[in-house]
Structure formats: structure tokens, C-alpha cells
Amino acid sequence: MKANDVIEAYVTDVAAHLPRSQRNDVAYELRALLNEELAGKAESAGRAADEELATALVRAFGRPADVASRYRPTLTIIAPEDGHAFLRAAGVGLVIIWVLGLITALRQPFEPGWGILNPLGQWWVGVVIPSLWWPGVLVVGYGMAARARLRPRSVAWSPRGGERGEPSRAGIVFAVIAIMFGVFVLTDPRWVVDTFFGANAAPEIVQALTYTPEFQRWKAPAIVVLLLLNIPILLTVLANRGWTPTVRRFEQALAAVTCAALVWIVRGGPVFMSPSSDQVFKSVISLIVLLMLIGLGVSFSRRVRPAPDKELAG
């Protein structure tokens, strides 16, 4: 890894702890500062800047979370660097608990004379108030984490694999094999019946894994093409020993198109001839879409593009 890669990885780790509104400005300032200090240390040492010199510099600069806390307003709940993460985890957890509890309450039959007030009252007393256990659990967890960080640590910071690190060859090969297997299953799922049951398979089992003509004619080929398009992306990553910005953008665009196609399948007509198989398949597809959207959201939220503030630059 080059010295510049170490600096970039460190800047990215620091920026990931910051709000999006100040992430790029801080990354730009921090990168310039570290490059300047690295050049000075290299000149003092009488040698070119390398990975060893850059790693020693950023480790002396401090942990990414500690450095980020110098740039952002502190929120002292457990520890300054954990305050915003604590609020985010508490808010998301409470919303999930409240929404699921409200759905459950509204599904109960209304009692005469009370109407909707009865389930809302049960929701408030039985869900909202008891849900305060969740922030309490987070307080204990973040408190233990802050206490653990106060202990002497022998493990120094090191750049993670991430965008600039060399990808796992075994992981890419496994992903390509998984895609090919998925394409094979998607092309004809009845091979499972032929493999395990042969000619003795019951008609109900065969029907459960039989596509509808509409899905087999249009939707299945579209999903197969989208899956196969991932293979050249993975092979390019393997050849380049990492993700380039262009390849990453293409991969994200393909993921977005794939999500749209999967939603098209879920919202469209039946996929399997058997209603029960169709319902299970669409539930799984819905979960996959949710996970893909979460992955895209996380990737977008962690994106760092070091640049000066436009007003300051002007």
C-alpha cells in the first residue's frame, strides 16, 4: 500500500464518524494537513514517503473516532464520540418497536363504545412506555464500550480493506459461483425435484416449482441478464485489485436497476403456479430488495469526497 493510500484510508475512517454536512470539508482539510506533515517527516528522515512513515504519522495523530470528535459538536451522553451513534440507535429502535406494536394493536377488534381509542390506549400502555427499556440497554452497552476504550490498547490503527484495499480473491470467486448457481436455479427450479425425487415426485411438488408462462417468458430472462452483469464487474475488481470509482458507480447503478426489476416481479402477476410457493418466493424477494436498499443507503451515506467548502473557496 502506498503512503497516499494510507492517508486516504485514515481520512475516510475519520470522515465516516462525521455528519454528512461537514464530512467532505473536514476530509479535505485533514488530508491536506496530513500530506503536509508527511512531506515534512519524509524530508527530515531523508527518504521518500512510504507506507511505514505514513502509518506512523496517522497512528500518532490519534484514533479516527477521537480525531472526528475534535471537528464535531460533542454530545455528552456516554462518551463524546458515541453520543450521535447512541441517539441514532435509540431512535431507530424505538420507531421500529412503536410501529410494530401499533400494527399489532390496530389488528385487534375494536370494542363497542371505544372504537380506535381502545387499541391506541393499549399501544401506549403496552408498547410505548415499556419500550423505554431499549435506550436503557443502549446506555449500558455504550457505557461498557466507553469504559473498555479507557483501558490500554496494544492494537494500533491500520487501514481497512474497503474501497482501496485488495479484495479477497476467494470471496470474488465464491460470489461468481453463487451467481452462476442462482442463474441455474432461476432458469429451471424443477431440477431440485428431479435431483431429490426423480420420477416419483408428487404432482403438487412439481407444480410448486413450476413457473407461470408470463414469468418464464419475460421476467425470468430479465433477472438472469441482471445477475450475469455482476460477473464482469467482479472480474474487473479482481483484475484491478480493488474498486475504482467508475466500477463502483456502475455496480450501484446495476443494484438500483435490479431492485426495480425485483419490485416489478413482486408487484406483478404470480411467479409460480402454486399460490403458496408464489407467496414464499415473493416474501424472500421483498427481503432481498430491502437488504439491497439498505446496502445502497449505507454505501451512499459513507461516501467521502474531500472538497473545500464552496463559500470558503469563493
Side-chain angles (χ1 to χ4, degrees), residues 189-199 201-202 205-206 209:
R190 287 183 297 181
W191 72 270
V192 178
V193 178
D194 297 335
T195 301
F196 291 97
F197 299 98
I205 299 178
V206 176
L209 296 176

Side-chain angles (χ1 to χ4, degrees), residues 241-278:
R241 296 185 176 182
W243 291 88
T244 63
T246 301
V247 175
R248 177 59 76 183
R249 285 194 294 268
F250 186 80
E251 183 265 343
Q252 291 174 343
L254 179 61
V257 174
T258 303
C259 283
L262 294 178
V263 171
W264 172 46
I265 290 175
V266 172
R267 301 290 294 177
V271 175
F272 288 99
M273 300 296 292
S274 171
S276 58
S277 298
D278 187 71

Side-chain angles (χ1 to χ4, degrees), residues 48-302:
D50 54 14
E51 178 185 356
E52 180 181 358
L53 200 62
T55 303
L57 170 66
V58 297
R59 286 178 175 173
F61 205 75
R63 293 173 57 248
D66 296 336
V67 175
S69 67
R70 305 171 196 168
Y71 289 94
R72 69 183 303 174
T74 58
L75 181 62
T76 307
I77 295 179
I78 302 301
E81 63 270 27
D82 289 337
H84 293 268
F86 169 83
L87 286 182
R88 183 168 55 250
V92 172
L94 287 175
V95 168
I96 293 175
I97 295 173
W98 293 348
V99 170
L100 293 179
L102 182 60
I103 294 175
T104 302
L106 292 178
R107 293 179 63 182
Q108 303 297 325
F110 295 171
E111 293 186 5
W114 285 88
I116 195 174
L117 294 179
N118 183 56
L120 288 180
Q122 293 180 354
W123 171 69
W124 179 261
V125 176
V127 177
V128 175
I129 295 178
S131 67
L132 297 179
W133 64 266
W134 173 245
V137 171
L138 291 179
V139 168
V140 174
Y142 277 99
M144 294 176 63
R147 184 177 180 84
R149 284 199 297 268
L150 295 177
R151 301 174 182 174
R153 294 165 44 149
S154 58
V155 180
W157 178 88
S158 297
R160 295 178 294 180
E163 295 285 316
R164 294 183 173 269
E166 185 171 350
S168 169
R169 295 183 179 181
I172 291 181
V173 172
F174 177 79
V176 172
I177 295 175
I179 291 173
M180 296 301 296
F181 180 76
V183 169
F184 178 70
V185 173
L186 187 63
T187 302
D188 186 10
R190 287 183 297 181
W191 72 270
V192 178
V193 178
D194 297 335
T195 301
F196 291 97
F197 299 98
N200 298 322
E204 293 80 6
I205 299 178
V206 176
Q207 184 183 21
L209 296 176
T210 300
Y211 289 138
T212 61
E214 179 186 358
F215 178 81
Q216 197 166 15
R217 185 182 304 113
W218 301 107
K219 298 180 180 180
I223 298 300
V224 167
V225 170
L226 291 175
L227 286 176
L228 292 177
L229 285 177
N230 286 276
I231 295 180
I233 294 178
L234 294 174
L235 295 180
T236 301
V237 173
L238 185 60
N240 293 335
R241 296 185 176 182
W243 291 88
T244 63
T246 301
V247 175
R248 177 59 76 183
R249 285 194 294 268
F250 186 80
E251 183 265 343
Q252 291 174 343
L254 179 61
V257 174
T258 303
C259 283
L262 294 178
V263 171
W264 172 46
I265 290 175
V266 172
R267 301 290 294 177
V271 175
F272 288 99
M273 300 296 292
S274 171
S276 58
S277 298
D278 187 71
Q279 184 177 2
V280 172
F281 178 79
K282 289 186 176 181
S283 298
V284 173
I285 293 298
S286 300
L287 178 60
I288 292 175
V289 171
L290 177 61
L291 294 177
M292 291 179 67
L293 292 176
I294 292 175
L296 288 172
V298 171
S299 177
F300 180 79
S301 66
R302 292 184 63 86

